[in-house]
């Protein structure tokens, strides 16, 4: 298996894992990704779009749906009045924490499946692989 095949395979596995293992009532896969991508102090809309790999207009529609559900709010940046910051409210923070608990639980299940002697080195290799992915797309 080459790197391209591995990326495709792991993407499909991770998407299935998120859709089935983290699925919650009334929240889509895209909404889950947005919720877990918003730091506790908020994030600029354009940065969130870059982080998710989506157009600004797509992220705006996504955030509007989260606002309607009462999970986030938008405010003008204090630093740059032209920029909009997305912030999780208390309800959104609880949902984020719930999602993170589910992700941690899945992580622990995966960890159990990996041989004790290989766990640390596998994690280091995965960090290196992720860094390679990020470096590739930070150049663009």
């Amino acid at each position: 298996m080459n790197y391209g095949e591995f990326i495709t395979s792991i993407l499909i596995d991770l998407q299935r894992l998120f859709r089935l293992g983290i699925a919650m009532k009334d929240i889509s896969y895209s909404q889950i990704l947005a919720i877990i991508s918003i730091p506790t102090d908020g994030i600029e809309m354009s940065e969130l779009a870059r982080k998710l790999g989506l157009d600004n207009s797509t992220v705006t529609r996504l955030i509007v749906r989260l606002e309607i559900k009462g999970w986030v709010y938008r405010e003008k940046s204090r630093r740059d009045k032209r920029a909009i910051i997305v912030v999780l409210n208390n309800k959104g923070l609880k949902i984020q924490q719930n999602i993170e608990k589910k992700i941690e639980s899945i992580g622990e299940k995966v960890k159990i499946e990996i041989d004790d002697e290989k766990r640390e080195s596998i994690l280091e290799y995965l960090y290196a692989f992720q860094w390679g992915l990020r470096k590739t797309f930070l150049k663009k």
Side-chain angles (χ1 to χ4, degrees):
M1 180 180 289
N2 64 35
Y3 278 87
E5 291 171 330
F6 178 72
I7 290 169
T8 300
S9 178
I10 199 162
L11 173 65
I12 291 168
D13 287 342
L14 288 172
Q15 284 184 325
R16 182 178 59 247
L17 218 142
F18 266 67
R19 290 179 194 276
L20 300 177
I22 302 172
M24 297 168 63
K25 187 179 178 190
D26 297 330
I27 185 167
S28 70
Y29 175 68
S30 297
Q31 291 170 346
I32 287 172
L33 294 180
I35 292 280
I36 63 173
S37 297
I38 301 172
T40 53
D41 58 344
I43 187 170
E44 284 188 18
M45 290 280 285
S46 58
E47 176 64 17
L48 182 59
R50 189 196 63 73
K51 193 172 189 178
L52 295 173
L54 300 171
D55 291 333
N56 287 338
S57 61
T58 303
V59 172
T60 299
R61 288 190 301 275
L62 179 60
I63 294 305
V64 165
R65 287 193 303 274
L66 294 177
E67 274 183 319
I68 290 168
K69 290 181 177 196
W71 299 344
V72 301
Y73 62 92
R74 291 180 282 176
E75 63 185 22
K76 289 190 184 241
S77 170
R78 291 183 183 102
R79 192 173 41 97
D80 179 354
K81 298 295 181 194
R82 297 169 297 170
I84 303 295
I85 307 288
V86 181
V87 183
L88 294 167
N89 61 21
N90 287 336
K91 200 172 176 184
L93 283 169
K94 286 179 185 173
I95 290 168
Q96 185 185 62
Q97 290 167 353
N98 189 7
I99 293 167
E100 288 173 351
K101 283 179 188 174
K102 288 182 177 195
I103 293 170
E104 275 301 313
S105 175
I106 291 168
E108 287 302 314
K109 289 175 184 173
V110 171
K111 180 180 166 185
I112 290 168
E113 296 299 322
I114 298 172
D115 184 37
D116 289 345
E117 297 171 5
K118 295 179 182 177
R119 282 184 190 152
E120 200 59 39
S121 59
I122 286 174
L123 202 53
E124 288 175 24
Y125 289 129
L126 287 172
Y127 282 135
F129 182 75
Q130 182 186 27
W131 176 244
L133 284 173
R134 287 183 176 175
K135 260 178 60 174
T136 300
F137 291 98
L138 286 176
K139 292 177 186 177
K140 293 183 177 186

